[in-house]
Amino acid sequence: MTNTATLPGFASPAVGFDQPFEMLHACHDRVERTLSLLARLVAHVHAHGHDEDSRSAARDVLRYFDLAAPHHHQDEELHVLPPLLASDDAAQRALAEQLVAEHRRMEALWAVLRGPLQQWADAPPASTAFPQPEALAEFTSVYADHIAREEGRAYPLARTLLDTATLSQMGAEMSTRRRSPATGTP
């Protein structure tokens, strides 16, 4: 298994919080790469068993979905979805409500997947089969459909409803959420 740091194309795009929607798109790229890493991890363990590379990959997946994904969902629920929820357009409100419900579903699925991945990261069991294949398949599927809805509909709609000052505040708040309390740095 190859370490994520050496995978081609794993570098993050050079966008900053002064471009909040571009940052949200970059987060989706990282979600997709992490889901790909998770699929490769499961296939690697099935074919070759547990090893240091699989433990490292499991830790990478855990780190992303424990830390970055919750921030991303919070960004959307605090900045992207409120203008859609406040819209007079019933379809926009329904879209926002669906996306929030999908966040909750992904969080519930992550809670199921987290335990086995933590075990793989810490002290892998003798079994090479992932113990929650249905949850894993649903997690991946829900994320794929969710990203398509956000990028295809929610983000473009929300962009039209947010002015420059609001976008600037959105980016600043997104950056603040990611700052380490101890150091004040991202």
Side-chain angles (χ1 to χ4, degrees):
M1 172 134 225
T2 305
N3 186 314
T4 58
T6 61
L7 290 175
F10 206 79
S12 296
V15 297
F17 290 105
D18 58 329
Q19 301 171 304
F21 279 98
E22 288 76 5
M23 183 61 78
L24 292 171
H25 282 285
C27 289
H28 283 169
D29 290 343
R30 287 188 290 277
V31 167
E32 290 168 339
R33 285 194 309 267
T34 305
L35 289 171
S36 175
L37 175 62
L38 178 55
R40 291 191 322 272
L41 166 63
V42 171
H44 173 86
V45 169
H46 180 72
H48 306 288
H50 297 283
D51 56 25
E52 184 50 43
D53 285 339
S54 70
R55 287 187 294 279
S56 176
R59 287 189 294 270
D60 288 346
V61 171
L62 285 161
R63 187 172 30 260
Y64 185 81
F65 285 110
D66 281 350
L67 301 174
H71 285 308
H72 177 72
H73 291 175
Q74 191 176 20
D75 293 338
E76 293 168 342
E77 290 182 19
L78 291 174
H79 304 290
V80 176
L81 301 179
L84 301 179
L85 288 166
S87 172
D88 291 334
D89 184 321
Q92 288 183 17
R93 288 192 311 274
L95 172 62
E97 290 167 359
Q98 178 182 9
L99 294 171
V100 170
E102 289 170 356
H103 285 170
R104 299 298 85 78
R105 183 65 188 144
M106 289 182 282
E107 290 162 4
L109 288 164
W110 178 242
V112 170
L113 299 174
R114 192 185 189 294
L117 278 169
Q118 187 66 59
Q119 188 176 24
W120 280 18
D122 293 341
S127 173
T128 59
F130 192 76
Q132 298 290 339
E134 297 86 11
L136 180 58
E138 184 181 355
F139 187 67
T140 301
S141 175
V142 170
Y143 253 113
D145 293 343
H146 181 80
I147 288 170
R149 263 187 285 289
E150 286 180 339
E151 291 189 357
R153 294 176 51 211
Y155 290 3
L157 286 168
R159 271 184 194 248
T160 67
L161 300 172
L162 301 174
D163 60 29
T164 304
T166 303
L167 285 172
S168 179
Q169 180 182 356
M170 175 180 168
E173 289 178 16
M174 288 169 62
S175 175
T176 298
R177 260 189 290 289
R178 287 157 178 81
R179 292 193 187 283
S180 165
T183 65
T185 57

